[in-house]
Amino acid sequence: MKIPVWSIALSAVLLGGFSPSHAETIEYVFYDKEGVAGTEVIEWQGNQVTGQLKLGWNNRRLDLKESFTIGAKQVPEQLHIEGTSPFGAPVNEKFSVVDGLAQWHSDDERGNAKSSAPQFYIPKSSTLAVESQLVKALLASDDRSISLLPQGQARLFELDRMTLAQGEVEETVYLYGVSGLSFTPQLGWFDQRGNLFAADEGGWFAILRKGWDKSHLAQLKERQIRAADKYLQDLSAKHTLKSKAPILISNVNLVDVEAGKLLEQRHLLIENGKITRMSIAPIRLPGITRIDGRGRTLIPGLWDMHSHLSPTDGVLNMAAGVINVRDLGNTHDNIMRIERLFSSGQIIGGDVYRAGFMDRESENAMRMGKTTTSLEQAKEIVDWYADRGYMQIKTYSSMEPEWIAPLAEHIHSRGLRLSGHIPAFMTAEEAVDAGFDEIQHINMLFLNFMGAIDTRKRLRFTEVGEHAHELDLNSKEVARFLDKLARKGTVVDTTTTVFSSMLLRQPGKLDPEFAAIADHLPINVRRQFIGAELDVKPEHREDYDLSAQALLNMVRKLHEHRVPMVAGSDGIPGFTLLRELELYAKAGIPNADVLRTATLVPASLVGKLNTGGTISVGKDADLVLLDGNPLEDISALRRTALVIEGQNLYRPDQLYSALGIEPFHPSVPVSLDQPGGTAIN
């Protein structure tokens, strides 16, 4: 499970206040579900500011120092950030303004700009101090907006305020939102001077000023979430087109994913969210919503089988044609709220299938779900999840190998499936023999042949980067293992894109896995796809490149040995899933089989093949209209012209635009107010 660097650096706007003229120090505490995950200390000395962030989760360790000088309008005029990124890549970034010329450079980028007015430089990586200073600059501006470097415009909005009491001390805090940094505004609570007080990071972390009791976070979180949800509810109301009348799609080419064939010139009727008629002959009904599918291709709605959902993800997924999502690790409160918002139609998002997340308590534990210190407690956690409607259990790298067999037996007795990371010092084959129904991540397949690896640490990435290409995929040993997976029906969720990206990324270069979309993204999101994640030494560069190809070769071998596969993203919603399918095709899997990994196979796996996964009468109308035929060109999946979820219609170009993303392809125009029914051309 991976947290993108930009979700820490940008999603917080966690962020400070007006710079004091005297010396002052403020410390913030990062809390995860189990306790303290990190700290941030910000010190002011006149117009000089320094910050140090130390934050850890799982095998990630973010350690950054920064210093900057405040100039006119609260805008930094000199800045230096250095340290290490979560996966170990070095960070060294500098910015300065001299005689009206702004210049910035790092291992990943360099640029300059002339400006007669202050412009706020957004570092690619930063601690909280610079993001705090952005809020101060916005508060100091006349209209609470400011131009950004390298480009863009940030705006500040006040969304809520409340007064907190602790003993005899009272503090009025303000909920601010900052737009212009990412897909949606970023929120945080600030005091009357404009200094950060607290922020909730969507279940990953909560941040609170040191000295205030953690109990204050509950009410602050509730009101922050309410404001964030209101934004998405307004966006959803604007961009969800509801057809009260039946919907007729005429003259459309339809992909039969079961047969792997294209059925040409079909007519399909949707009533009350279900497909009620399909025919070769035209269907003629009065007063209906009509969609002319001529020259376009209809496929079943896509499934993402490896997600860690946030409310915003529903819009990104829907724009990409991803309607059904399996969540493989979240806090219970967060995923239940998301499921409720999606299913009620308050915000855009399809059906959610929940996996309960579990890890053994350790310094490397992932604490998004529940942690355990004993096998008996682990079984109790399974019961807790089962009683609340979870469909499977996902375990993580710190689990004790000897627990897996008895735990699997208990999980299966409750009617749930077991999947996850292979525990440290256990092989994938041992986990499968002990009862694993599914394996997450393609690196675990390579580690199976590398001996006892501590998968709690970065070794699970670096060993694959340095040595995966050395494994003979045509060997009897590999064939025997893959045949066992096929015979047992063990599902593999490869998340190939995430690992290919990690291995191929280099300082100063754009991540090749996202080259097709990068220029469409907001600038400060795009920048996060430039540079390395791992600290790859020059002598290993060729090894990593060869190992990235070995990932694709393993994907092909899985298919050749008939190992069941499901497509999952574990990355930026929508976009990563589409790239995952492109990589499957690049590996040599026929396009029809590629489509099955994101339609028919997932629906069957979660027991929903009777209602989804294919296009047939009686099933839910989860459909994606494409310009192009994905059976011939898998990249046609990027050319979404319309997404249909029951009686709801979505134009992807409008959804992308609402998130600050340049659309990839024109959508089908939609009108719901024409006399005599609705025409969609």
Side-chain angles (χ1 to χ4, degrees), residues 238-427:
K238 181 178 180 181
H239 295 291
T240 302
L241 305 169
K242 296 180 179 292
S243 176
K244 295 181 180 179
I247 301 169
L248 175 62
I249 308 172
S250 59
N251 300 304
V252 70
N253 297 328
L254 183 154
V255 174
D256 180 343
V257 293
E258 289 182 288
K261 296 180 179 180
L262 189 70
L263 308 179
E264 298 184 348
Q265 296 293 298
R266 294 303 197 266
H267 305 268
L268 183 147
L269 183 66
I270 300 167
E271 298 177 281
N272 298 317
K274 299 282 187 180
I275 301 171
T276 57
R277 290 174 62 183
M278 287 174 51
S279 70
I280 297 176
I283 299 173
R284 293 182 174 85
L285 289 174
I288 60 175
T289 297
R290 303 176 188 275
I291 302 172
D292 185 359
R294 196 181 310 274
R296 299 185 176 99
T297 304
L298 196 67
I299 65 169
L302 299 174
W303 294 62
D304 183 347
M305 293 294 279
H306 194 131
S307 180
H308 303 282
L309 280 167
S310 70
T312 308
D313 294 352
V315 183
L316 282 166
N317 276 325
M318 195 66 70
V322 179
I323 300 177
N324 302 278
V325 175
R326 182 177 65 175
D327 187 280
L328 282 181
N330 226 309
T331 65
H332 176 69
D333 290 344
N334 194 48
I335 193 58
M336 294 305 294
R337 180 173 65 89
I338 292 169
E339 184 177 39
R340 183 171 61 253
L341 289 168
F342 285 3
S343 63
S344 66
Q346 294 180 66
I347 66 176
I348 294 172
D351 291 338
V352 177
Y353 299 88
R354 292 177 277 121
F357 188 85
M358 182 195 308
D359 202 5
R360 187 188 190 282
E361 179 57 44
S362 78
E363 66 174 348
N364 296 111
M366 181 63 85
R367 298 185 173 91
M368 278 301 295
K370 294 182 178 295
T371 53
T372 178
T373 57
S374 70
L375 174 59
E376 289 309 309
Q377 186 183 25
K379 292 179 180 179
E380 292 172 2
I381 291 172
V382 170
D383 292 336
W384 190 93
Y385 280 126
D387 292 342
R388 286 159 179 79
Y390 285 75
M391 61 167 287
Q392 74 183 64
I393 299 295
K394 179 189 175 185
T395 61
Y396 213 65
S397 303
S398 293
M399 294 296 286
E400 294 288 348
E402 59 266 27
W403 291 0
I404 298 302
L407 186 61
E409 183 178 2
H410 187 69
I411 289 170
H412 294 152
S413 74
R414 293 302 310 265
L416 278 63
R417 303 174 67 255
L418 171 59
S419 75
H421 288 205
I422 305 303
F425 308 115
M426 192 179 199
T427 68

